[in-house]
Amino acid sequence: MAGIGPLSGYKVLDFTQFESGTVCTETLAWLGAEVWKVERPVKGELGRYSVEEPSVDAVGFVILNMNKESITCNLKDPEGLRLIRKLVEQVDVVVENMGPGSMDKLGLGYEDCKKLNEKIVYAQIKGFGTDGPYAEYPAFNPIAAAVGGMPAVTGQPGEMPVQSGLNIADSGAGYMCALSVIAALLQKEKQGIGQKIEVAMQDVVIGFGRSNWEPYYRTGKPPKRVGNGMPLEDVAPAGMYACKPYGENDYVHIYCSRHPGSKQFENLCNVIGRSDLIEDTRFKTPRSRYLYKDILNPIIEGWTREHTKQDAMDILCRADIPAGAVFDCDDITKDEYLRRRGTMVEIEHSKRGKLVIPGFAPRMSENHVEYRLSPELGSYSEKVFKEYAGLSDEDYEALKAKHII
């Protein structure tokens, strides 16, 4: 069932799994495209079930596959491939993030699909560029993050590189792929052409780290790891400060601008009751404050420890001092404002009950996302294969009995 939105009327054949590809196609579905998710009969996509719970959709699958329709087909069976090729002829977009070379081996690569549908928009997400030395290398989020430079600038000075707790490479590649698909559809409408889109997760992470080239060219060296400090320059205050009741996430991050003329440090001194620091020569500039950060930071933390992270954030921000409480999943899930805004949405799953999960981040005045639960395995197969592949009732039942669909 297609959604209502700017992509209404477009059909997407979805050969994605896990996160990067599914983020792309879910984004397209939230914007109104009709997304047919191709899964294995009985087993589903690799991320649908977990070893611990083999008979119920994993929460991760539910989060990443909303507003889609599921069709099942054995792509290794000639009859199954014949049906999929019929669908390729009638869709606008194909998206895949299978292992390197997998779609070509099936006869469903870009050139194969272009022969069936000359104006197809064919998007693929891989770990590395397909024209380079790493083309055949397998990749998941931490691998792409590593070769994209993220751990090199993450962690404590003098210690090993650290991965992020967020799937920046996966979700980032998915969003970039969705953006590219939409651009390709616009180009198709204007110029009447289809095209191939390749998104390499390594490339995406490199792009997210573009600000690192400022200190690289300024110093002639790769940026160092600065923990919670400011990566672009050694300035202070810039870091995490403990708050009551002193749990593992009871911190607030405070950063005062390094730009000349900023009054943020002055404001901070006044808020914490230490206006005397304003005239202290040790703390006159962002750089000098960094040199004496071991003196300055305990003074600031003496104040933050008297407040909760939420109160500290509110007090500081109202005084024009950039500060962010460290919100964890529990904080975010229970945030009433984020519920009202639609950042977090509540859904009802038949087996898992009520879930509150992240929704579509942007707010568009003329596009309201109507969230639908991730599909049951194969729930759209009958409609698609009969209506678009021309199967009779008898043929459909026969192929279903043989687990071809």
Side-chain angles (χ1 to χ4, degrees):
M1 180 175 65
I4 298 173
L7 296 183
S8 294
Y10 290 105
K11 291 182 175 60
V12 178
L13 199 55
D14 176 357
F15 298 94
T16 69
Q17 56 186 346
F18 300 124
E19 183 165 346
S20 63
T22 57
V23 166
C24 171
T25 51
E26 183 178 57
T27 302
L28 300 176
W30 278 342
L31 290 171
E34 184 168 353
V35 176
W36 300 340
K37 183 177 179 65
V38 181
E39 301 189 70
R40 301 173 300 174
V42 183
K43 297 179 180 179
E45 74 129 287
L46 289 172
R48 182 180 273 271
Y49 304 121
S50 66
V51 175
E52 294 80 10
E53 297 178 290
S55 61
V56 59
D57 292 348
V59 173
F61 178 88
V62 174
I63 291 172
L64 295 168
N65 289 282
M66 295 176 69
N67 289 55
K68 304 179 187 180
E69 309 295 352
S70 171
I71 63 174
T72 52
C73 187
N74 183 352
L75 301 179
K76 296 180 180 180
D77 186 281
E79 186 62 21
L81 273 177
R82 184 185 70 81
L83 294 173
I84 291 299
R85 289 193 177 103
K86 283 191 175 182
L87 299 184
V88 170
E89 293 173 357
Q90 300 171 73
V91 299
D92 303 285
V93 180
V94 168
V95 183
E96 66 96 0
N97 70 320
M98 301 295 182
S102 297
M103 294 294 281
D104 291 312
K105 291 174 184 176
L106 290 169
L108 292 172
Y110 172 61
E111 294 300 333
D112 301 304
C113 290
K114 187 179 179 182
K115 291 175 184 176
L116 299 169
N117 185 339
E118 185 181 3
K119 297 180 180 179
I120 193 75
V121 172
Y122 188 101
Q124 59 181 186
I125 300 175
K126 303 299 175 191
F128 305 94
T130 59
D131 58 350
Y134 311 137
E136 300 301 317
Y137 290 11
F140 288 98
N141 180 83
I143 308 306
V147 297
M150 184 166 63
V153 294
T154 308
Q156 296 299 325
E159 297 183 8
M160 72 169 63
V162 176
Q163 290 281 5
S164 168
L166 301 178
N167 288 350
I168 300 298
D170 269 339
S171 277
Y175 285 126
M176 290 298 291
C177 190
L179 182 155
S180 301
V181 166
I182 295 168
L185 289 173
L186 288 172
Q187 189 173 2
K188 179 181 175 180
E189 290 193 2
K190 290 182 177 182
Q191 301 178 16
I193 58 173
Q195 63 185 288
K196 178 183 179 181
I197 297 166
E198 179 183 301
V199 177
M201 293 161 67
Q202 180 189 29
D203 297 349
V204 170
V205 179
I206 290 171
F208 284 160
R210 66 190 68 189
S211 62
N212 290 319
W213 270 260
E214 179 190 329
Y216 172 66
Y217 281 110
R218 188 176 68 245
T219 67
K221 299 177 181 179
K224 58 188 178 182
R225 290 186 283 282
V226 296
N228 290 313
M230 174 62 172
L232 298 180
E233 192 174 348
D234 291 336
V235 296
M240 294 284 183
Y241 300 89
C243 298
K244 66 179 185 183
Y246 321 118
E248 66 176 349
N249 289 320
D250 286 318
Y251 288 84
V252 63
H253 191 104
I254 301 172
Y255 168 68
C256 291
S257 176
R258 63 191 169 119
H259 295 293
S262 171
K263 298 293 185 182
Q264 289 172 356
F265 180 68
E266 244 181 76
N267 295 345
L268 176 63
C269 293
N270 288 325
V271 166
I272 68 174
R274 290 299 304 270
S275 55
D276 58 297
L277 300 178
I278 298 172
E279 299 304 323
D280 191 317
T281 56
R282 296 173 298 177
F283 308 130
K284 274 295 184 182
T285 69
R287 174 64 180 169
S288 69
R289 293 195 286 270
Y290 177 81
L291 295 176
Y292 293 99
K293 66 182 184 299
D294 291 341
I295 297 172
L296 179 61
N297 284 336
I299 295 173
I300 297 171
E301 191 164 81
W303 180 85
T304 62
R305 291 179 70 87
E306 296 176 355
H307 303 273
T308 66
K309 61 185 179 184
Q310 182 70 67
D311 287 343
M313 174 180 169
D314 292 340
I315 294 168
L316 294 170
C317 286
R318 287 167 186 159
D320 194 33
I321 304 156
V326 176
F327 291 155
D328 56 29
C329 283
D330 191 56
D331 296 320
I332 293 169
T333 300
K334 294 175 179 176
D335 189 310
E336 294 182 4
Y337 163 70
L338 294 177
R339 294 272 203 103
R340 291 196 306 272
R341 180 171 169 78
T343 305
M344 301 298 293
V345 297
E346 183 177 313
I347 61 172
E348 188 75 30
H349 191 271
S350 60
K351 294 182 179 179
R352 294 197 174 277
K354 183 177 74 173
L355 298 172
V356 179
I357 59 178
F360 184 57
R363 293 292 165 268
M364 301 171 66
S365 64
E366 304 303 321
N367 183 49
H368 176 69
V369 178
E370 296 182 5
Y371 294 101
R372 291 186 288 112
L373 192 65
S374 57
E376 294 290 332
L377 181 62
S379 56
Y380 215 57
S381 293
E382 184 171 2
K383 175 179 174 59
V384 169
F385 289 128
K386 288 183 178 180
E387 186 172 332
Y388 295 95
L391 286 184
S392 65
D393 292 348
E394 183 179 353
D395 289 340
Y396 175 80
E397 293 301 330
L399 292 174
K400 185 178 178 182
K402 292 190 286 185
H403 296 301
I404 294 175
I405 56 177

